[in-house]
Amino acid sequence: MLRYIAYRSLLAVFLVWIVVTLVFLMLHLVPGDPAELLLSQGSTAADPQAVANLRERLGLDDPLWLQYAHHIGGLLTGDLGTSFRDGASVTGQIVQRLPRTLEVIVAAALIAAALGVPAGTLAAVRSGGWIDTLISFLSSVALSTPVFVVGSVVILVFAQELRLVPAGGYVPFAVDPARHLLLLMLPAGTVALALWAVIARMTRASVLDVLERDYVRTARAKGLSRVKILRRHVVRNAMIPVLTVLGLEMGTLIGGTVLVEFVFNWPGLSGYLVSAVDARDYPEVVGIVMVISILFVFLNLVVDIVSAVLDPRISLTR
Amino acid sequence: MRKLILPVSIIAVILALVLLAPILPLADVRAMDIPHRFAGPSLQHWLGQDEFGRDVLTRLIFGARASLSIAIGSALAAALIGATLGLLGGYFRGLVELVTVRAAEVVLCLPPLLLALLVVTILGAGFWPLILALTLLYTPNYARVVYAATLQVRGLDYVTAQRALGTHPLTIVLRTLLPNVLPPLVVQISLVIASAIVIESGLSFLGLGVVPPTPSWGLMIRSARGAMEQAPMLLVWPSLALAGTILTFNLLCDRLQSVLDPRTVPVGGAIWLRRRGATSPRPSSREARVPRAAGPAGAGAVTDRAATDRSGETKPADLLAIEGLTVALDRPGGVGSGMELVRGVSLALRPGETLALVGESGSGKTLTSLAVTGLLPDVLAVTAGTAAYVRRDGTALDLLAEDEDGHRRLRGDEISMVFQDASAALNPVHRIGDQLAEGILAHRAIGRAEAANEAVALLKRVGIPDPERRARAYPHELSGGQRQRAMIAIAVANRPKLLLADEPTTALDPTIQAQILALIADLKRDNPDMGVVFVTHNLAVVAEIADRVAVMYAGELVEEGPVAEVFARPRHPYTAALIGSVPEGGAERLVAIPGTVPAPGQMPPGCRFAPRCDHAEAICRESEPAEFVPAPGRRTRCLRYEEVT
Amino acid sequence: MTMRLNRRSFLATSAAAGALAFVGPKGLRAETGGMLRFGLSAYPPSFDAWASSGSAAGTVKLMMHRGLLGFAPDGTMRGELAESFEVDDAGTWTFKLRDARWHDGSPVTSEDIAWNVAEAAKADSTAFFRGELQSVVKVDTPDARTIRMTTEEPSAVLPGWFAHFNMPMIKKGEAPDTTMGAGPFKLDKTDRGVSLSLSAFDGYYKEGLPKLAGIEVIVYADENLRVAALDAGDVDLIEYVPWQAMEQIEADARLKLDAVDGPFMYLTFNAERPPFDDPRVRRAVAHAIKREDIVAAAFYGRGSALEHLPLAEGSDYYNADLANGWAYDPDKAMALLAEAGHPNGFDCTLLATAQYGMHQSTAEVCQAYLSMVGINARLDLPEWATRVQKGNQGQYDLAVMGTTASNNDPDGMTQLIDGSLPASFVRSYGLKTPEITELLAKGRQTFKAAERKTIYHQMEAKALETTPIAGLAWRSQGFAMKAGVSGFTNMPGQLCFYSPETLEETVLG
């Protein structure tokens, strides 16, 4: 187990290094000059000398390999650098924003699992019936409605018409816990909508598969109650692939909640990443991507470990 | 295949609309009519006009072109690349895995939107960069899914066997692995197409998608969102198109999956899970059924046992008396519904007796035992017959009339089953001891700890060494023989009155087989009143363990009697052929009977064995033989039983 | 208040009215107060006082800082830190400081001001007015309240620099991105990318101002959400009201809209290569587009056609005779194309951005109209950063742009049409305009209003002929607020982004 984790961690470091390098190179390949952008805000013509001054100050005139070496050197010492835009510490910004994004993802995953697993199980148990059709229909609709449409409708109905919730935004938990949770529900609920559908579909397929297994027949032959069979022998076993998918989906969501954050004005990591890319703020982009990829790799490891715990047949060895 | 008609025809209509769009009598997709922007539906513009006064219907249809070709194109491209990577990585492992699956995971580490942003920014927005970005995005998903599925399949025996035979690895990958990983792949495709359409709209929303004025659903949704107050319907149309298309693709993939993967249950799902009322519409009152019991046996085929007038009560001497059991395919409206797989089987078992049920695969012997315990697969149903059973408390009941709840009270308690493949029949994720204890707890009001202790004792009883430790083991940590012992321990945990063992030794090697048979015999000594129905195709086993033997052929019981007598003088040509086919020294398989068992639904008229029978005469092929009693305690379904031996 | 009028101090004259405006009764703050919640469209990318970092940063700078000069709600220039300003015959500008204090309580001195001018003009400065300030050859501080600036050439437009929100004054020795200024509000707290909290500066130099106790700035990047937040009562005032929402806000009794036609959309050309190196082709484009449809489609009717240079109708320099110089006339456009050797039109790329809907919609309408005269324009819609770079490097044929000028003075046009300036995405690429350059320079050095008017008339006539840019549309720039908010004024024309200056007088009802 420990050896496995060590092996995977080594692989992770390698993976993250490749990702960081890739992003660094791609960023320099992408058109757009951070200094020029910063100084031509508001569609004004930037003074070429001022741009040159800023480029020099930001170290953008150094050869690419030197910039790369600087950057990697910084990353190795745990220094993610400072923003090109206002000199803010990238580490500080990530520390501030990452928990907000994780909060949305975790809340969404919980909601999605709480709704998706029973729905998927029900659809499988009643496969072919009207309830299965209904769940299949609802999940398709949920999967096919873009979050920005859901978001706009939610805001229109709940904030503008019914005035039940604020029109998006963020309040720290320490300041106002109730309002914080209320505001959290908007993006989390919207993310959960699509995630719910994925989980429900996955659960349905998985439960249908497990229902056909011999051990379920054994459980029936033992005279166990329906609930017990469902819980211990069907859902328990069916959850292994579902959890894997949920883990992967959560991984994708780190840095993938851009639209939701935009629509609900939730100041998370994804929105930060997009604004950094828009401004070609290289240290910010590389720093955020590095953190996201580390988290992603870590989450994968956790998924693997959890699967191994759930399914003793999987052994964590290489 | 019929199930595919609906989704395929809808998709065909969509594709036809998309392909024929240029020649359909539609408005110009780019023609602006700004004075009439946001105009509602009219004769010229069925769905109204958008923010530039362009025709919404036209743009919807042309928009499908961009949205669908991007989504389907990238989903398929990613499936192809991803499946290749996953198959190669999963089959070869090692370095290949590193450069395929692990390399693909690099992409997963990048936030999807950033990836799309970078690709589109470098290459410029448009159709091909979008396909490239989405393909990149989805390839690792496929790679992982296929990789996982490949890992599962590659460990299976038949793959190992092929490898041992020196089959070219690529042949194994393509011929054996690919078909097996297809079902998860198909599910993935359905999810990816849906999500690709949505992502395309998301990218268009961010301005990274298709370049206007080329319409796409994503672009339409984007521009409609701004004008939600002015013209809400502009948002509704593309959203509906999007949802409808995705729904259709999901439907197609669900149906494809069930066609590709025959294991999948057809319509209905797990009927046993449903509460009473939702169960099979079979009449549960015995009176209602008894007259029909004689039906399937055919006119004139008055069974010997039926003649002894047992309609109503059971002879106290019989523990189980099956009368006229008929099992048929039950798929209302489905292909072959009503086809009978077991017909008119009658059997009796006294307490303490061991009855062997013998026959080739497909003879219906396993179905007979499953019917008694109510464990028939959902697609099958008992359509006639009774199974009188005397409970521990002396009350009689008809097992075939019980519903799931009735069966559940008996199963594992009075009536137990041992299944053929213990490695599949044990739940891989629960410890052996827990799986044993839960069977005990389901029927007895004792504490958990007590049940756990009893489980250990049972494991010890069935001859598992170091039972305390084994109780904490998972099934995969046990040997095949130990698993079957554990399976038997589960079956006898509550000292059942009736034990149904379905080929419990088939999957085991001969030494272990003998041990298991000895164990069953041993357990019978512990519990002398226990009746055992032993389903097997191995006559050597029958001779060793059974008191009586019942031979089944093509769903019918053809001969029954005491083992010694039947073996000494079979009264049915099939039995004789069976015995004859066993080589000296007792080999495993039944061989050398010419011809094959007829498929259900293609049963010959008259005697079902007639086509393969040396003794058959014209009369055998014309009418179904009735049951005859060649000697007391024996039955045969052969007109010419006297000539057999 | 002293005001020494000089024969050439025409600019100062107009400032006088505004300068008097803020002299009001004391002690108003006590009875009003309240925290105003301001829905901003973006978080300031930086607080660098002198750099051009966009209108969001400008808004925040106008809360924290004040420059030597500013604008009154009616758009007239007035003194801020300077109580008076004048120019002598030699073109030397003299500013008299009032008794103002920095947020730390220390007085604003002429030495501070001189330091600001010197720092912003430094070789390594990133200031917006770095180039202009380098033409200030001498800065004298005869006393703590007087500052005198001498430029290379006499400059009539110098006060415009010091009234600009990108040239606020900060305390000597502070870093350029300091939040220590002399403005009406102090920055207390920031949550980067999310919100800013400001409180009233009690030492503000205008008695009784600011009336608000503070401002809570909340960033709403999504325009629809910004409107929703106002509608739901989460904020009191929002900027950049999306055009599609204006009607709904006007119809809502709880809300009010203050919108002016200020910013404008126009086309730039790549004159480095054919076909747009030919002025006839550029003029053909200018005549080919029906502006009303851009206003309707991209701005929901909130704006007006712009068929000449972006000089507003209310401006002193508006030339009624030239106002329809680029009127929609497809026949003329086709004739010009034929004359230029393109009777069957040609293919080209039209650069805009997909990041901003108005740019994209404008481009779509232009594309549709250009196709009618035979110009087949392929849209190139990268995200903004790429679009800026492509514009700067001339990787386009035609491009849609939108901006405002620095202020309502016609010299503000220089940035857009002076071909002698270095390449920039805001103007046409590689387009030399010697006559226009010369006229603009002449205008800057001319102090007499009548003379200037003639010069700019000539300039506009020349521009209509050579078409260095093609005006498309004025677009409405709106602030929306709760009905109870008063004292906030959207300044006219090009000054709309200066409007947050009136936050000092804003009252929450």
Side-chain angles (χ1 to χ4, degrees), chain B residues 431-457:
Chain B
R431 295 172 200 278
I432 296 289
D434 294 342
Q435 298 195 46
L436 241 170
E438 72 178 358
I440 297 170
L441 288 168
H443 298 287
R444 282 189 266 159
I446 58 170
R448 268 172 191 287
E450 204 181 327
N453 286 336
E454 199 167 316
V456 173

Side-chain angles (χ1 to χ4, degrees), chain A residues 98-114 184-185 187-189 191-192 195 199 246-247 249-251 253-254 257 266 295 299:
Chain A
L98 180 62
R100 301 178 190 157
T101 289
L102 291 182
E103 204 180 353
V104 171
I105 295 172
V106 170
L110 289 178
I111 298 171
L184 172 65
M185 278 309 111
V191 172
L195 202 54
I199 290 181
L246 181 62
E249 289 282 332
M250 284 174 74
L253 279 175
I254 306 173
T257 50
W266 184 266
L295 269 173
L299 198 72

Side-chain angles (χ1 to χ4, degrees), chain C residues 387-454:
Chain C
R387 188 256 173 268
V388 169
Q389 173 150 347
K390 284 189 163 179
N392 285 337
Q393 298 179 348
Q395 294 168 8
Y396 66 96
D397 293 319
L398 261 175
V400 168
M401 251 316 276
T403 192
T404 51
S406 292
N407 53 48
N408 286 332
D409 191 81
D411 184 55
M413 224 73 67
T414 307
Q415 288 289 329
L416 310 180
I417 55 175
D418 187 343
S420 67
L421 293 174
S424 168
F425 68 107
V426 303
R427 40 188 177 258
S428 291
Y429 186 77
L431 181 60
K432 296 287 166 243
T433 54
E435 301 100 327
I436 292 175
T437 304
E438 196 183 311
L439 286 167
L440 285 169
K442 209 165 139 198
R444 274 193 293 276
Q445 292 163 24
T446 307
F447 287 75
K448 272 210 181 81
E451 270 175 53
R452 288 188 101 219
K453 200 165 155 42
T454 318

Side-chain angles (χ1 to χ4, degrees), chain B residues 293-329:
Chain B
V302 181
T303 66
D304 194 351
R305 284 257 169 162
T308 59
D309 186 33
R310 286 214 256 122
S311 59
E313 74 269 17
T314 315
K315 260 190 197 159
D318 283 348
L319 172 66
L320 174 70
I322 301 171
E323 204 67 61
L325 168 69
T326 299
V327 175
L329 215 55

